[in-house]
Amino acid sequence: MDDLMRLSRRLISSVTYRELRKVVTEEAIKIFKADRSCLIIKNKKGEFKIKAGVPEEDHGIGEIITPQTGEKFLADVLKFRMPMVVEKPLHDSRVFHMRDIVIKYDITAILLLTIFTNTEDLGILALDYTGRKKISKEVFLKIKDFNSLAAEALLAAYRRKKEEEDLLRKQRFIILGEKYAEFCHDTRNDSVAINTFAKSLLNLNFPEEKRREYLEKIISKAKHFENVAQDALNCVNLDNICKLDSAKSDSLKLEKILLNKFLEECAKDFILVANGCKIRFWGDRRLEKIRVYADPQKLSAALRNIVLNAIEASAKNVVIAGAIKGRTTLITVLNDGEKIDPQIKDHIFSRFATTKKNIGGTGIGLANVKATIDLHKGDIKVAENGKFTFFNIRIPVFPYA
């Protein structure tokens, strides 16, 4: 019972839904004397998604379980709301999809626990036993209490999370209205300035040096006008795509692209807007013949946004690099520009969280980057060390396989 008391205390002290999931997987190993654990949650779409695991790096957290990786088996287990033991996983056809993992970790038994409340089926906790370890009888005496504590805590945290998201969504609508007014104000100012400079240029006696200066100002204002308008359009379009169905491949114009070649061509294109910044490409030889399903136009636009952000942050060097990690491609854009304000770093990909407030940033560019990567079923994270800022993008080789 000490184990269950410890679980209860940790669940109570956990603040976020993510922390709770981690607590459940960590404590399950101790309570049920297992070697590995994996929490699979059933979302509102009916999909099974890996949300936590111990060890964390070995469980493909964030991946959706497909028919090829045991979706029907998990659905059947959850349907009956009973624990299930797979005693010889290497020879059990129900978990044939796990054969490589079973061999790799010498898994000799799997205990599947259903996580549910009276009203909702939440998911499944898979516990692996390795070597010659067997599942003891005392384990089964703790299952009911464990489920009761874990399920109620997870459900309550999930509902809180949804309430917070609904509130945030309403706040964003308010902010969107405010930002719309700002966009109108900015574009009106740009239009007035362009009109003023253009009228001045009609003066035939206008000095040549001033004529060039005014032309440069017109170009600058027109470019800013274009950026603001395009960012606003992207904001609406990408949000609508995600809202309608972020998981459908028809949201993207997918093509098979050679990633090394694609990234190298992007780097060459971005040199045109480099403004003195050195832009280089570092390739991974293993990617020379690897074709990735992606929307080249959207992916190129996303990378351009990141590079432009770096240039506007006074970067002298930008490197675009590609690598492959298992079934995932890693695209890294690193720069030596000014560091990100710590106050916005945690929500840098949120709409209107700008890194360029002092120079008129709209806070839409990086949000569009995140939306594009989400459409590719990937993820993007930002990190920093003493000298460089890294934008790390992970995209599955076959995002819709």
Side-chain angles (χ1 to χ4, degrees):
M1 295 304 292
D2 289 343
D3 288 342
L4 292 171
M5 288 296 293
R6 185 182 62 244
L7 169 65
S8 180
R9 286 194 297 269
R10 288 195 66 187
L11 291 174
I12 292 171
S13 63
S14 298
V15 177
T16 66
Y17 183 44
R18 183 176 183 176
E19 287 176 359
L20 277 168
R21 299 195 303 258
K22 186 176 180 181
V23 167
V24 168
T25 52
E26 289 176 347
E27 291 299 320
I29 283 183
K30 298 173 185 176
I31 292 171
F32 299 109
K33 306 295 188 292
D35 298 294
R36 293 162 42 87
S37 66
C38 180
L39 180 62
I40 305 165
I41 296 293
K42 183 180 179 182
N43 63 25
K44 294 300 181 182
K45 296 179 182 178
E47 300 169 326
F48 288 96
K49 193 170 186 178
I50 301 172
K51 302 297 286 187
V54 177
E56 194 172 49
E57 64 276 8
D58 288 345
H59 283 88
I61 294 173
E63 291 184 7
I64 293 175
I65 305 299
T66 65
Q68 291 76 31
T69 56
E71 181 184 36
K72 185 179 184 304
F73 175 56
L74 293 179
D76 290 341
V77 172
L78 189 57
K79 177 181 178 181
F80 292 105
R81 292 188 167 189
M82 293 290 290
M84 175 178 289
V85 176
V86 180
E87 292 185 327
K88 296 180 179 179
L90 186 59
H91 306 291
D92 196 314
S93 60
R94 295 172 300 177
V95 291
F96 182 79
H97 58 277
M98 292 181 60
R99 184 179 178 85
D100 291 344
I101 296 174
V102 168
I103 294 172
K104 180 178 179 179
Y105 295 103
D106 190 23
I107 298 172
T108 53
I110 301 172
L111 175 59
L112 298 166
L113 304 181
T114 51
I115 307 295
F116 62 90
T117 66
N118 290 334
T119 57
E120 293 197 44
D121 294 329
L122 303 182
I124 290 172
L125 181 66
L127 298 164
D128 299 335
Y129 295 80
T130 64
R132 297 182 180 181
K133 187 182 291 187
K134 294 183 178 180
I135 304 173
S136 64
K137 292 181 180 179
E138 66 177 19
V139 159
F140 294 93
L141 301 177
K142 299 178 180 180
I143 290 176
K144 183 177 180 181
D145 289 335
F146 178 88
N147 174 72
S148 178
L149 291 170
E152 292 296 338
L154 287 169
L155 183 59
Y158 176 78
R159 286 174 174 169
R160 283 197 307 272
K161 177 173 174 282
K162 288 302 175 185
E163 288 172 0
E164 291 170 358
E165 288 175 352
D166 289 342
L167 178 60
L168 184 60
R169 194 174 294 110
K170 292 176 182 177
Q171 291 173 338
R172 282 177 175 169
F173 276 118
I174 295 171
I175 294 171
L176 188 59
E178 295 173 352
K179 288 296 177 179
Y180 174 72
E182 289 181 21
F183 291 156
C184 291
H185 177 78
D186 287 347
T187 53
R188 183 198 64 185
N189 287 349
D190 287 342
S191 297
V192 170
I194 290 170
N195 187 47
T196 301
F197 294 139
K199 284 181 178 179
S200 299
L201 290 173
L202 290 174
N203 186 346
L204 296 178
N205 297 321
F206 205 69
E208 186 60 33
E209 63 272 14
K210 279 289 183 182
R211 185 182 299 276
R212 182 175 181 83
E213 179 186 341
Y214 276 29
L215 281 171
E216 288 176 349
K217 287 182 178 180
I218 288 174
I219 293 170
S220 175
K221 292 293 182 182
K223 187 62 180 176
H224 182 256
F225 187 101
E226 178 187 340
N227 289 341
V228 169
Q230 188 59 54
D231 278 350
L233 286 172
N234 288 344
C235 170
V236 174
N237 292 340
L238 282 171
D239 274 355
N240 282 342
I241 288 171
C242 294
K243 183 177 178 182
L244 289 171
D245 192 351
S246 62
K248 287 187 177 180
S249 59
D250 58 8
S251 298
L252 297 169
K253 294 180 180 179
L254 292 174
E255 300 178 18
K256 280 184 178 180
I257 61 173
L258 287 167
L259 192 60
N260 259 6
K261 184 179 179 182
F262 170 76
L263 294 178
E264 187 173 12
E265 289 176 352
C266 284
K268 290 178 180 178
D269 289 343
F270 300 158
I271 291 173
L272 300 175
V273 295
N275 196 26
C277 175
K278 292 183 180 179
I279 299 177
R280 290 172 290 171
F281 163 69
W282 290 348
D284 185 331
R285 288 184 177 179
R286 293 177 299 172
L287 286 175
E288 288 180 356
K289 296 183 179 180
I290 296 294
R291 294 183 181 271
V292 179
Y293 278 100
D295 184 322
Q297 186 174 351
K298 283 189 171 65
L299 193 54
S300 176
L303 295 175
R304 177 183 289 265
N305 258 317
I306 297 173
V307 170
L308 289 176
N309 247 44
I311 293 170
E312 289 169 353
S314 303
K316 300 300 181 185
N317 295 278
V318 171
V319 174
I320 301 172
I324 188 163
K325 305 288 184 181
R327 296 186 65 190
T328 302
T329 55
L330 173 64
I331 302 171
T332 298
V333 182
L334 67 90
N335 72 83
D336 59 358
E338 297 172 5
K339 295 297 177 284
I340 299 166
D341 184 345
Q343 292 185 346
I344 69 163
K345 188 174 180 180
D346 289 342
H347 51 276
I348 192 172
F349 298 109
S350 299
R351 195 75 70 208
F352 308 126
T354 179
T355 61
K356 303 170 289 183
K357 194 168 185 179
N358 294 334
I359 57 173
T362 61
I364 293 178
L366 288 180
N368 287 341
V369 171
K370 176 70 164 63
T372 295
I373 302 307
D374 286 346
L375 286 173
H376 284 83
K377 292 192 173 183
D379 67 75
I380 180 169
K381 294 180 180 177
V382 63
E384 293 178 333
N385 62 16
K387 186 176 181 180
F388 297 105
T389 299
F390 302 81
F391 286 86
N392 295 313
I393 300 169
R394 293 180 182 273
I395 296 177
V397 176
F398 303 105
Y400 291 93

